[in-house]
Amino acid sequence: MPYKRKYWDGVLIAVLAIAACIMLLPYAWMVLSSLKSNMEIVSGTGGLFPRQPSLEGYRTVFRDAPFVTWLFNSLATSVIITVMTLFTSSLAGYIFAKHRFKGKRLLFILILATMMIPFQVIMIPTYLITAELGLVNHLMAIVLPNLVSSYGVFLAKQFIEEIPQELLEAARMDGAGEFRLMLRIVSPLILPMLSALGIFTFMNSWNNYLWPLIVLNDESKMTVPLALVYFNGTHMVNYNVVMSAAVLITLPVIIVFLIFQKQFIKGLTMTGMK
């Protein structure tokens, strides 16, 4: 019986390893293509590996465009959105999970209902409100509409409901206020969930393309997803430059995932159990 189990475990590991390699193949192709010349990519005769590896695509990205500024714009907006989303989600989730007030169920249903509305439906009203606030062509136009996540509120509420009420009552007896109780007691207990939510939020903000395309006009205010369109020529696409920019764009997301990998997997596991 142990031998049979080890055999099937080995088969399962082999299948998962093959699936992982297949999933990583597009990213490997993108990295290798960034090291090729544009002519080699267009001709399609060079195979997967470059004949003469070159960093000309990366040099073009930093030489012909303010790519560092775009990276900073995306990093600043993504970090602010992620931090504020974690704060508002944990705060609202704590209120809905551990407090009673009139209209609580109806308000929570309305928050969940917003998850069913596509962004394309509210795109024009959001733009009109942003224009009235004078934030068009400003990075705050990206930040303000994304400070609250209905999915984050729902997820935080589900986790905070499992925290024993006795623990919170003991903290109140020790003189802790509600805000301090949420920060010092509740937040550490839902840290795996916050890590998973933070990675999802950061990735969505980092990869957001449609809304920045609508509200940002100046080249200096652009974010990195818009860079892929910037490097596309009218009559000819510099594929090696586009691939180089794509590699640079994906690096921060990979770094964030590697840093919070353990908490992310734990948060996903606990979310699935919920």
Side-chain angles (χ1 to χ4, degrees):
M1 189 68 180
Y3 173 79
K4 187 175 181 180
R5 183 175 180 181
K6 289 182 179 180
Y7 172 78
W8 286 111
D9 288 344
V11 172
L12 180 61
I13 293 174
V15 172
L16 293 177
I18 295 174
C21 292
I22 294 175
M23 293 178 63
L24 290 174
L25 186 60
Y27 186 78
W29 176 81
M30 179 178 65
V31 175
L32 293 174
S33 297
S34 68
L35 301 176
K36 297 179 180 179
S37 65
N38 192 52
M39 187 59 64
E40 185 178 353
I41 297 176
V42 172
S43 62
T45 58
L48 182 62
F49 295 94
R51 294 178 179 176
Q52 295 180 348
S54 173
L55 297 177
E56 182 61 30
Y58 294 95
R59 285 193 288 265
T60 303
V61 169
F62 289 104
R63 183 181 64 241
D64 296 351
F67 195 78
V68 176
T69 302
W70 298 344
L71 282 175
F72 177 78
N73 293 341
S74 290
L75 184 62
T77 54
S78 299
V79 169
I80 293 174
I81 290 174
T82 301
V83 172
M84 292 305 300
T85 298
L86 294 180
F87 174 75
T88 55
S89 297
S90 57
L91 183 61
Y94 170 68
I95 293 174
F96 280 108
K98 296 301 182 180
H99 289 76
R100 295 182 179 180
F101 53 90
K102 189 175 181 180
K104 168 184 172 181
R105 185 180 297 273
L106 177 61
L107 183 59
F108 187 67
I109 292 175
L110 291 176
I111 293 176
L112 294 182
T114 60
M115 298 173 59
M116 307 177 188
I117 303 175
F119 175 73
Q120 289 78 3
V121 175
I122 62 174
M123 183 171 58
I124 295 178
T126 304
Y127 179 83
L128 294 177
I129 295 174
T130 303
E132 288 294 328
L133 295 175
L135 296 178
V136 175
N137 199 31
H138 196 282
L139 292 179
M140 287 302 296
I142 303 177
V143 174
L144 284 180
N146 298 289
L147 294 181
V148 180
S149 170
S150 54
Y151 173 74
V153 174
F154 169 74
L155 202 60
K157 176 181 178 296
Q158 297 302 107
F159 274 80
I160 296 175
E161 282 181 344
E162 299 299 321
I163 298 177
Q165 187 66 30
E166 293 78 9
L167 179 63
L168 304 181
E169 293 296 336
R172 292 190 181 98
M173 292 179 62
D174 290 338
E178 294 299 321
F179 189 74
R180 183 180 179 185
L181 190 149
M182 192 271 294
L183 291 179
R184 301 294 297 273
I185 305 296
V186 176
S187 295
L189 294 176
I190 61 172
L191 186 59
M193 183 278 299
L194 292 178
S195 300
L197 178 61
I199 292 179
F200 285 135
T201 305
F202 184 87
M203 291 177 59
N204 291 334
S205 177
W206 185 267
N207 296 324
N208 190 9
Y209 172 77
L210 181 59
W211 181 240
L213 180 65
I214 295 174
V215 296
L216 299 179
N217 301 320
D218 292 345
E219 184 178 298
S220 60
K221 302 292 181 62
M222 291 170 57
T223 54
V224 286
L226 304 180
L228 298 180
V229 179
Y230 178 86
F231 289 114
N232 288 337
T234 305
H235 304 289
M236 181 178 178
V237 180
N238 293 322
Y239 291 102
N240 61 331
V241 180
V242 174
M243 294 300 173
S244 300
V247 172
L248 294 173
I249 290 172
T250 56
L251 283 179
V253 179
I254 295 175
I255 293 173
V256 170
F257 174 77
L258 292 177
I259 293 175
F260 299 101
Q261 180 180 7
K262 183 177 180 180
Q263 293 84 354
F264 176 71
I265 296 175
K266 186 177 180 181
L268 286 182
T269 304
M270 296 177 67
T271 304
M273 294 173 61
K274 291 292 180 181

